[in-house]
Amino acid sequence: MKTCPICNSEVEDHFELCWNCNYSFTEKKIVEIKDMVPGSREINCLRCNVEMLFSGEYKFHEGTRAGVFGNLFELLIKRQKFELYICPKCGKVEFFSPTNTTYPL
Ligand SMILES: [Zn+2]
Ligand SMILES: [Zn+2]
């Protein structure tokens, strides 16, 4: 574990980028990543055809018990941050992975 000097988040050693504030350990500054603005998607609920509401980002915590999914799943969740959208009408929740983001792993 290393600690981000900007926001004090704990970052895994093999990450070059702070998941919280985008501080780059290699460039020693916060990197701006365009197209990374959370909540900028326009998503309609397939059922109700109303716009789904952005309700924040969800990050899987390190050390989450993956159970039957095993190591592969654990590997995935350690790298993933999801955007959470909720349909205001039927309450359907959808997760979206910020696909425009490339982490320098
Ligand atoms: Zn940080
Ligand atoms: Zn809906």
Side-chain angles (χ1 to χ4, degrees), residues 3-9 11 18-23 25 30:
T3 307
C4 173
I6 307 296
C7 69
N8 284 324
S9 291
V11 182
C18 173
W19 55 268
N20 189 40
C21 70
N22 291 329
Y23 176 79
F25 287 89
I30 292 177

Side-chain angles (χ1 to χ4, degrees), residues 52-100:
M52 296 181 81
L53 302 172
F54 178 65
S55 91
E57 288 185 331
Y58 182 80
K59 184 180 175 291
F60 283 101
H61 288 285
E62 206 192 318
T64 304
R65 292 243 166 214
V68 290
F69 294 105
N71 289 336
L72 181 68
F73 188 67
E74 215 168 276
L75 207 77
L76 282 172
I77 62 177
K78 273 184 184 171
R79 297 181 178 185
Q80 292 288 351
K81 194 164 77 167
F82 293 96
E83 295 175 7
L84 189 68
Y85 284 82
I86 296 175
C87 171
K89 218 172 162 188
C90 70
K92 181 177 162 57
V93 172
E94 297 222 47
F95 288 101
F96 290 89
S97 174
T99 45
N100 295 329

Side-chain angles (χ1 to χ4, degrees), residues 45-50 87-92:
C45 176
L46 293 173
R47 267 181 264 182
C48 320
N49 208 26
V50 294
C87 171
K89 218 172 162 188
C90 70
K92 181 177 162 57

